[in-house]
Amino acid sequence: MKPTSDQPEESHAHDTHWVETTVARYQAPLTRYATRLLGDTERARDVVQDSFARLLAQPRDAVDGHAVEWLFTVCRHRALDVLRKEGRIMRFEEGAVDRVADAAPRPGHELERAETHAALLRLIGLLPANQQEVVRLKFQNGFSYKEISRITQLSVTNVGFLIHTAVARLRREWTAQAE
Amino acid sequence: MNEAKLYPDDPRLTAYALGELEGDERAAVELALKTDAAARAAVDEIRDTARQLEAALAAEPMPTVKLIAATPAQRAAIVPGRDPRKLDGGPLPLQNLIRFPQACFLVAGLAAACFAVMLTLHESEVGRLEEPINAVKLEEIMKATAESHARKADADAAIVKPSSYTEVTFPVAAIPVGRVELQAKTQEIAEADKKVVLAEAMAPKQNVDAAAPVSRAVVAEKNQSPPQAVAADKTAMLGAAVASNQPAKEETIQISEFEVSAAPVHGYDASETMTGTRVNTAITDLPFADSDFLSVAQNPLSTFGLDAGMASYANVRRFLQAGGRPPADVVRIEELVNYFPYAYAAPRDHAPLAATLEVAAAPWAPTHRLVRIGLKAREVPAGGMRVTVAKDVKVQVAFNPAQVESYRLIGYNGSPLKNKDFSKNVIPPAGDLAAGHVVTALYEIVPVGVELPGGDALKYGKVESQESRVVGASSKELLIVTVRYTPPEGGASQQLEFPLMDHGAAFAEASMDFKFAAAVAGFGMILRDSPDKGSATLAEVEQWAGQGLGSDAGGYRAEFVGLVHQAEKLKE
C-alpha cells in the first residue's frame, strides 16, 4: 500500500515521523482529557503514556483512520480502571484553571477575551460531570457525536441530548452573566 | 418525525447546527427550518455558542507535557509504507506547548480561580457585588503566588518517568491540577485613601492539631474598598472575606478569622479530612446561622429571590470529590436545590409564569409539612435572545394562621432579606424574569397543634396585608403564593395568586421531583449540621434521592447520589 497523492507532505515520511507527530500533537490534549477524568496530572500522565504505549503496540491497520479516537477510548478505559481500583467515582476538576473574571473591566481586547474565556470555562465547570465530558470531547477535542458515542459507550442519541442540554444551559447562563 | 415546528428543547436543532445530522433526518430538519425563522435564528445562536465554547476550551491551559519519543524498537512495530491517517481532533501545533511566557499568569490563575469562586459565592449571596474587587490587589496576589509556584514548578518539572521512552522536557511551568498548596503573601497596597492588608496564610500541614495557627485579615480604612483575606488549605479552596462596601460606617472594619478546626463535628472527623477550614465571611451584618422557624403571627409574609445561583453545588462537589467536607458556609441549600432541573408545567394562556405547588410530610420531620414552590417563566419560541417575560417581579408567600403555626424558608441563610424585613414593609427583592427561567423554594411548616422545636406555644391572630390577599383563619388553604409583576411592554402591575391546599399527603405519596428536592435539602442540612435537620441521615438522603431519580435526563441526579456516597465515605 502506498501513500495517496492527496495526503499532506508529512505523510510521505516514515512512520517514525507519524508516531512522533501523533505523540507531539495529542499528548497534551489527551493529558488534559485524562486529568479531567482522574483529577490530577500525575496519574493522568501515567495513563496517557500507557495509552501511547498501547497505540504503538497495535498493528498499524488496526488503528489506521481513527487513531485519535482510539487513543481517547483507551485513555478513558484506563482512567476508569484506575478510578475503579481506587474506589473513586469519576470526577472532574472544575474551576482549577479558572482565571479572574470579576475584576474591574480593563482595556484591551486580549484581556477581555481572556476574561470571557475564563468566565465560560467556569460555567462549563458547573455542569454535571457527564455533560462536561461530552462538551470537552466535542468542542475541545473535535470529535463527532458518533466518535463520542464510541469513546464513552453512550448511545448517539444520548450524546446528542447531553450536548444539546449543555449548550442550551451554557447559553442561558452566559447571557445571564452578560447582563 | 416530520413535525413542522422545531421547539427549543429539540436536540435535533443542536445536532443540525453542529453538522451532526445526515440523510433523512437532516433533510427533515432543513425542511422545517425553511418556514421557521425563529428556529433558524436558534441554529445561528447554537453555532455562535459552539464557537465561543471552542475558543474558551482552546484557551484552557494544557498540563505539563514531556514529549515522548518512541524507541526504535517500538517504531518498528508499525508496518511501514502506510500514510499517517488524516488526524482529526483539535490540532495543536508544537509551538502551543510552550506558548506560555504568561505561565506565571496561568499558575497564578489558580489562585485567582479561588477568588473567582469566592466572588461567585458572594455574588449569589447578595445579588450583586457592591464594588468589584480591585484589579490591582488581585494582580499583586497573582504575581506573588506565581513566584512561589515557579519554585514549585521547577521541582515538579524535574520528575522523570521511568519508561522505555526517551524523554524530552519542555520548560513549561507546571500547572498542578488538583491539590494545590497556595501561599498568599502579605501585601500592603496603598492606593489613594485605600489601604488593604492581605492576610498571610499558610497551607495547613498534613497533621492538623488543634493549636494550628490562626491567620487574620485586617481591613483598614473606612469608606473604602472591601477587605480581603486569604486562607489556603490543601484542597485549593481559598476563603476570602469580602465585605460589601458600605459607606461611612465605622463598623465596616471587619476581622475575618480563619482557623483550622480539628474538632470532629457530628460524625465528620475534620482532622482526618483535608479540609477543616471554616470560613467566616463578613458579607452582611447577619451571621451565617440557619433560619429559625418564624411564627406566622409575627411574620405573616415571606419572600424569596428568583435567582439562586449554581456555584454552591459545584463547590460542594469539589470539596467532596477531593475527600474533604465542605465548610458549612459553602453549602447554600437553595443553590443546591436549584442546581437541578425539575419538570414544572408551563404557564397557560398569556401568563408570564406559572407556579407548581406541592406539599407533603417533611421526610426528616414527619410531623412537619414540606412545601415545594416552583415558579416557571413562559418559554418563547426558539431563537429569541434572552427575553424578559415579566419585569419587577416580587414573590410573596402568605400562610394561613389557622393551619400554620410557624415556618422556615429552607436555605437563603445570611441573606440580608430576612423575613422579618417583610413585615416591616421593606420592599422585597424584585427582578426581571427571563423566558424559561425556573426557581424552586422549599418551606418547612410546623402545623398548628404540633409542638415547636423550642416547645413554645404561639398565639396567632388575624393576618392582614395591604398588598395581598388575606389568608383568613377560616380559609381552607395552607398558604397563598402571590406574584406581582409589571408586563415587559409596560402598563399597570399585575398580580397572580397561587393557593395551596394541604390534603395531608405522606412523603411516599409525593412526586419524584419533590422527593429529590427534599433529598438535596436534607443533604445540605446535614453538611451544614443544621439544627433543623431533624432525623435526616445520609443513608436516608440517599433513599429519598433514589426514589426521586426519575428519568434523570442529563445525569444530574445520579451524580448527586454519587456525592452522597462520597459524603458517607468521609464519615468512615
Side-chain angles (χ1 to χ4, degrees), chain B residues 398-410:
Chain B
F399 299 90
N400 183 353
Q403 297 191 27
V404 178
E405 185 142 320
S406 62
Y407 64 89
R408 70 181 185 101
L409 172 63
I410 296 179

Side-chain angles (χ1 to χ4, degrees), chain B residues 8-272:
Chain B
D9 59 356
D10 190 337
R12 290 181 302 162
L13 266 181
T14 302
Y16 175 80
L18 302 179
E20 292 283 348
L21 291 185
E22 292 165 5
D24 288 345
E25 252 202 320
R26 183 188 167 93
V29 170
E30 274 173 344
L31 188 63
L33 286 175
K34 275 205 178 91
T35 51
D36 193 340
R40 285 200 299 276
V43 166
D44 285 340
E45 274 188 28
I46 290 168
R47 285 178 178 151
D48 184 59
T49 306
R51 269 190 293 273
Q52 285 183 313
L53 291 178
E54 281 165 4
L57 288 164
E60 192 176 55
M62 295 277 203
T64 312
V65 281
K66 304 170 178 74
L67 278 202
I68 304 166
T71 64
Q74 280 145 341
R75 290 180 210 143
I78 295 167
V79 177
R82 284 297 298 271
D83 304 316
R85 61 164 311 273
K86 181 169 54 109
L87 298 169
D88 60 352
L92 286 162
L94 218 52
Q95 295 84 289
N96 282 6
L97 294 176
I98 46 171
R99 72 175 158 159
F100 296 130
Q102 316 108 323
C104 59
F105 241 94
L106 288 167
V107 166
L110 286 169
C114 305
F115 277 99
V117 166
M118 286 310 297
L119 290 172
T120 311
L121 289 177
H122 174 60
E123 268 186 320
S124 62
E125 221 251 334
V126 285
R128 71 185 75 79
L129 283 174
E130 294 296 339
E131 183 190 280
I133 300 302
N134 191 301
V136 172
K137 296 193 275 278
L138 283 169
E139 266 178 29
E140 299 272 0
I141 297 168
M142 281 156 67
K143 255 194 246 150
T145 316
E147 281 156 27
S148 73
H149 263 284
R151 284 190 295 268
K152 186 179 186 306
D154 288 342
D156 248 357
I159 295 169
V160 174
K161 282 288 167 203
S163 73
S164 55
Y165 297 110
T166 344
E167 291 191 4
V168 173
T169 306
F170 266 84
V172 176
I175 301 166
V177 178
R179 297 188 181 150
V180 176
E181 285 176 56
L182 286 167
Q183 289 181 357
K185 285 166 102 169
T186 304
Q187 303 226 352
E188 263 191 52
I189 298 167
E191 196 188 305
D193 316 335
K194 302 183 208 179
K195 208 186 215 181
V196 174
V197 175
L198 303 168
E200 169 170 352
M202 302 296 292
K205 298 286 190 290
Q206 187 71 33
N207 302 314
V208 169
D209 59 21
V214 173
S215 56
R216 291 166 184 271
V218 178
V219 177
E221 317 303 303
K222 57 185 174 183
N223 290 351
Q224 288 305 333
S225 50
Q228 284 181 338
V230 172
D233 65 40
K234 276 209 148 181
T235 55
M237 280 305 300
L238 289 179
V242 178
S244 53
N245 186 16
Q246 286 154 24
K249 261 169 60 170
E250 222 63 37
E251 298 78 74
T252 53
I253 297 175
Q254 318 266 5
I255 297 180
S256 308
E257 294 178 329
F258 300 88
E259 54 186 34
V260 178
S261 130
V265 185
H266 285 268
Y268 286 87
D269 188 355
S271 64
E272 286 176 5

Side-chain angles (χ1 to χ4, degrees), chain A residues 32-51:
Chain A
R32 182 167 60 184
Y33 174 67
T35 304
R36 289 278 153 183
L37 294 174
L38 291 164
D40 74 275
T41 319
E42 284 307 310
R43 260 182 281 261
R45 285 193 200 121
D46 289 344
V47 165
V48 167
Q49 287 207 353
D50 190 50
S51 306

Side-chain angles (χ1 to χ4, degrees), chain B residues 295-335:
Chain B
S295 78
V296 167
Q298 280 134 40
N299 307 274
L301 303 172
S302 179
T303 187
F304 54 88
L306 296 175
D307 285 305
M310 282 162 68
S312 176
Y313 180 81
N315 290 324
V316 167
R317 178 172 65 190
R318 187 192 334 221
F319 268 100
L320 289 172
Q321 287 173 344
R325 182 190 182 186
D329 299 337
V330 162
V331 182
R332 317 185 68 85
I333 302 179
E334 76 279 7
E335 290 193 22

